[in-house]
């Protein structure tokens, strides 16, 4: 059971009637028959105390803290809800938005520890994802006065939430079609005893069982999300802590600085759902497809291992020297560095970092500014862009399983980018280490 309540429920102008004892149980925990038995036993217990004139009702109910939900635990790759649950897990690529501006959406980058005595876990993203570029005067944001309203951060903005719910509906329809196919397969060979028909019958039965389990799991997940994640308040997972002004520079060693730090609220992460800086590369690529894009040359010295779980644990950071001296070889034997990311809009994509800096020119704060960028290009023009709008803030990792930086912008003729621009992690950490708040920052935050 989850909760126990005693109350009267009455219509306006009418007597309240008998008392009602409400017993809350987790969703799907009891069948109708089991619930009836529980209610009867409760009646017997209450009657034994001489109490009469009441009802006992069993209802599905989950106790919720008003601060919102914790992240889901990661599920095995074989779980039918693997893809559908991903936006609600704590792996990198969390679709985020500000509570007061849920139409502006982006991606959570990587986790950070401030070091020292600060036991909080922080999430790094791009400033323009969480603060309006034109309306705040591009001033430093630092929340330290509790009397001022907080900039609360959500899992999924309004549009993204609706899209993810629609995606679950699509998967549900897919399982329903699979059930129909399996049943037709069973009927087509039922009663036949030749070896081929027997095999087809057995395979169709297995398919039917898998589809029915998948349908049940997806419907339960959809109910959970529609019931407990629909309200914005339930999707709050943190608050904006610090964001320096956006800085555009072409000076040596400088890059575009578009940075924001989000503090994760207590109770959102625990030993079951937190994996540190881990990217879920999902189902978009098979093992062979992904590895073919990582190992471009037989002698290319990368240590990347494709995990069965699809959860890639990131260790360390791409050193500044690697931005120029690329450590891998492509199919032609030329130096390269393969990178990948999981963005809120385009999901997992794979690209190649260029060792020649790009430069952008943007109209900002009343005038044009040039800035230096670390560029990433798609590996294959037929597979689409490396990023598009909504992917800003994503963590870009390299084929050695290291944090490379955060995605800040891109260029091209459409919303999808021909070239994606990344702020390198080496530059980000230098900026952080020069601050009072994050002078001891590192990329291995642990639960307190």
């Amino acid at each position: 059971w989850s909760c126990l309540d005693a109350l009267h429920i009455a219509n306006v102008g009418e007597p309240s009637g008998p008392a009602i004892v409400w017993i809350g149980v987790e969703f799907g925990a009891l069948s109708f028959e089991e619930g009836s038995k529980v209610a009867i036993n409760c009646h017997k217990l209450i009657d034994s105390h001489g109490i009469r004139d009441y009802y006992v009702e069993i209802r599905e109910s989950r106790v919720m803290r008003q601060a919102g939900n914790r992240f889901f635990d990661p599920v095995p790759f074989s779980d039918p809800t693997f893809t559908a649950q991903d936006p609600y897990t704590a792996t990198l690529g969390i679709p985020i938005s500000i509570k007061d501006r849920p139409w502006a959406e982006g991606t959570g980058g990587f986790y950070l520890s401030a070091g020292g005595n600060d036991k909080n876990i922080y999430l790094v993203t791009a400033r323009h994802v969480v603060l309006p570029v034109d309306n705040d005067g591009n001033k430093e944001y630092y929340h330290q006065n509790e009397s001022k309203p907080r900039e609360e951060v959500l899992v999924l903005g309004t549009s993204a939430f609706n899209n993810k719910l629609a995606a679950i509906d699509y998967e549900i329809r897919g399982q329903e079609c699979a059930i129909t196919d399996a049943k037709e397969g069973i009927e087509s060979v039922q009663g036949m005893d030749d070896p081929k028909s027997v095999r087809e019958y057995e395979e169709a039965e297995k398919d039917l069982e898998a589809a029915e389990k998948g349908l049940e799991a997806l419907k339960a997940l959809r109910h959970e999300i529609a019931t407990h994640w629909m309200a914005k308040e339930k999707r709050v997972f943190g608050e904006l802590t610090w964001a320096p002004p956006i800085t555009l520079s072409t000076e040596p060693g400088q890059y575009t600085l578009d940075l924001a730090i989000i503090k994760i609220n207590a109770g959102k992460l625990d030993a079951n759902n937190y994996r540190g800086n881990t990217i879920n590369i999902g189902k978009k690529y098979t093992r062979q497809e992904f590895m073919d894009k990582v190992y471009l040359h037989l002698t290319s010295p990368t240590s990347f291992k494709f995990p069965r779980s699809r959860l890639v644990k990131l260790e360390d950071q791409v050193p500044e020297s690697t931005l120029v001296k690329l450590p891998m070889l492509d199919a032609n034997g030329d130096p390269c560095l393969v990178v990948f990311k999981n963005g809120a809009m385009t999901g997992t994509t794979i690209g190649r970092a260029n060792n020649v800096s790009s430069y952008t020119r943007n109209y900002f704060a009343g005038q044009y500014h040039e800035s230096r960028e670390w560029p990433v290009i798609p590996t294959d023009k037929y597979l689409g862009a490396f990023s598009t709008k909504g992917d800003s803030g994503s963590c870009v990792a390299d084929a050695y399983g290291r944090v490379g930086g955060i995605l800040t912008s891109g260029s091209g003729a459409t919303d999808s980018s021909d070239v994606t621009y990344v702020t390198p992690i080496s530059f980000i950490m230098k900026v952080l280490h020069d601050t009072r708040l994050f002078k001891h920052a590192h990329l291995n935050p642990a639960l307190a």
Side-chain angles (χ1 to χ4, degrees):
W1 64 278
S2 60
C3 56
L4 184 64
D5 305 282
L7 64 160
H8 285 279
I9 300 177
N11 294 322
V12 176
E14 296 180 3
S16 60
I20 299 174
V21 178
W22 260 356
I23 301 174
V25 298
E26 290 289 335
F27 290 89
L30 294 178
S31 66
F32 178 82
E33 291 76 14
E34 291 169 333
S36 298
K37 291 179 182 178
V38 170
I40 291 170
N41 289 334
C42 287
H43 261 289
K44 292 178 180 178
L45 176 63
I46 296 172
D47 287 346
S48 69
H49 291 275
I51 300 173
R52 302 291 185 269
D53 197 25
Y54 66 91
Y55 296 108
V56 174
E57 295 182 1
I58 309 294
R59 66 190 185 111
E60 290 185 327
S61 177
R62 178 167 294 169
V63 177
M64 298 172 291
R65 305 303 174 198
Q66 294 305 307
N69 299 295
R70 64 183 285 280
F71 287 104
F72 286 160
D73 300 343
V75 295
F77 178 68
S78 58
D79 192 291
T81 66
F82 177 81
T83 299
Q85 285 207 44
D86 183 47
Y88 309 92
T89 66
T91 52
L92 302 187
I94 302 169
I96 65 171
S97 183
I98 286 291
K99 180 183 174 184
D100 291 339
R101 295 179 294 280
W103 57 87
E105 300 170 328
T107 307
F110 55 84
Y111 291 113
L112 182 81
S113 170
N117 295 323
D118 189 340
K119 302 304 180 184
N120 291 301
I121 294 178
Y122 297 89
L123 182 68
V124 178
T125 188
R127 176 187 169 113
H128 75 266
V129 169
V130 292
L131 288 174
V133 174
D134 298 325
N135 299 335
D136 68 345
N138 196 34
K139 300 175 183 177
E140 179 184 22
Y141 178 94
Y142 175 38
H143 185 263
Q144 58 180 344
N145 188 344
E146 292 300 327
S147 65
K148 293 184 178 180
R150 301 184 301 167
E151 290 282 7
E152 293 184 308
V153 186
L154 307 174
V155 176
L156 297 165
T158 301
S159 177
F161 179 82
N162 292 334
N163 289 340
K164 295 301 181 184
L165 205 59
I168 297 177
D169 290 334
Y170 182 81
E171 287 198 60
I172 286 174
R173 293 195 299 274
Q175 295 290 1
E176 290 171 340
C177 289
I179 289 173
T180 300
D181 287 342
K183 287 181 176 179
E184 290 179 356
I186 291 172
E187 291 174 1
S188 68
V189 294
Q190 201 157 23
M192 300 180 184
D193 57 3
D194 60 283
K196 181 180 178 182
S197 297
V198 170
R199 283 196 303 272
E200 288 185 12
Y201 184 89
E202 291 173 348
E203 289 173 2
E205 277 196 322
K206 290 179 182 178
D207 291 342
L208 177 60
E209 182 181 6
E212 288 176 338
K213 287 182 178 179
L215 180 62
E216 181 182 4
L218 285 166
K219 283 186 173 181
L221 176 64
R222 193 200 189 284
H223 181 78
E224 168 83 6
I225 292 169
T227 304
H228 300 302
W229 292 76
M230 181 77 74
K232 289 189 298 181
E233 291 74 17
K234 303 301 182 185
R235 303 203 302 275
V236 172
F237 73 91
E239 64 175 273
L240 182 60
T241 295
W242 179 70
I246 293 176
T247 304
L248 306 176
S249 176
T250 59
E251 293 297 317
Q254 301 287 307
Y255 292 85
T256 293
L257 181 64
D258 185 354
L259 182 69
I261 310 294
I262 300 162
K263 183 174 72 173
I264 308 295
N265 289 344
K268 304 303 176 185
L269 300 175
D270 56 42
N272 293 318
N273 66 10
Y274 179 61
R275 299 289 187 274
N277 282 316
T278 297
I279 295 182
N280 182 351
I281 56 178
K283 294 184 175 182
K284 186 174 182 179
Y285 298 96
T286 65
R287 178 187 294 268
Q288 180 180 350
E289 289 170 341
F290 196 95
M291 295 306 290
D292 282 349
K293 296 189 178 304
V294 171
Y295 284 93
L296 300 176
H297 194 278
L298 292 176
T299 63
S300 193
T302 175
S303 57
F304 185 86
K305 298 291 189 294
F306 189 93
R308 174 177 169 75
S309 66
R310 267 53 172 187
L311 303 182
V312 179
K313 176 70 173 175
L314 304 183
E315 305 283 354
D316 205 0
Q317 65 185 54
V318 175
E320 188 173 5
S321 59
T322 298
L323 306 184
V324 177
K325 189 176 181 181
L326 304 179
M328 301 172 64
L329 298 175
D330 64 15
N332 297 321
D334 295 324
C336 73
L337 179 64
V338 175
V339 296
F340 63 97
K341 67 104 183 75
N342 179 22
M345 288 300 293
T346 55
T348 301
T349 54
I350 306 170
R352 291 174 55 175
N354 197 2
N355 62 343
V356 178
S357 295
S358 289
Y359 292 85
T360 56
R361 186 169 184 260
N362 291 283
Y363 190 78
F364 183 70
Q367 58 183 318
Y368 282 99
H369 295 267
E370 290 77 36
S371 194
R372 186 184 182 198
E373 315 283 357
W374 185 33
V376 174
I377 57 175
T379 54
D380 190 329
K381 64 180 180 180
Y382 299 108
L383 292 177
F386 185 76
S387 67
T388 191
K389 285 186 175 180
D391 288 328
S392 287
S394 301
C395 173
V396 175
D398 76 349
Y400 295 87
R402 302 177 295 193
V403 176
I406 60 168
L407 192 159
T408 58
S409 62
S411 64
T414 65
D415 286 345
S416 296
S417 303
D418 298 328
V419 181
T420 294
Y421 301 126
V422 178
T423 299
I425 185 63
S426 54
F427 177 63
I428 292 172
M429 297 307 289
K430 284 180 182 178
V431 170
L432 292 174
H433 290 158
D434 284 340
T435 67
R436 179 180 60 83
L437 292 173
F438 298 101
K439 65 184 299 183
H440 302 296
H442 59 83
L443 299 177
N444 298 297
L447 295 168

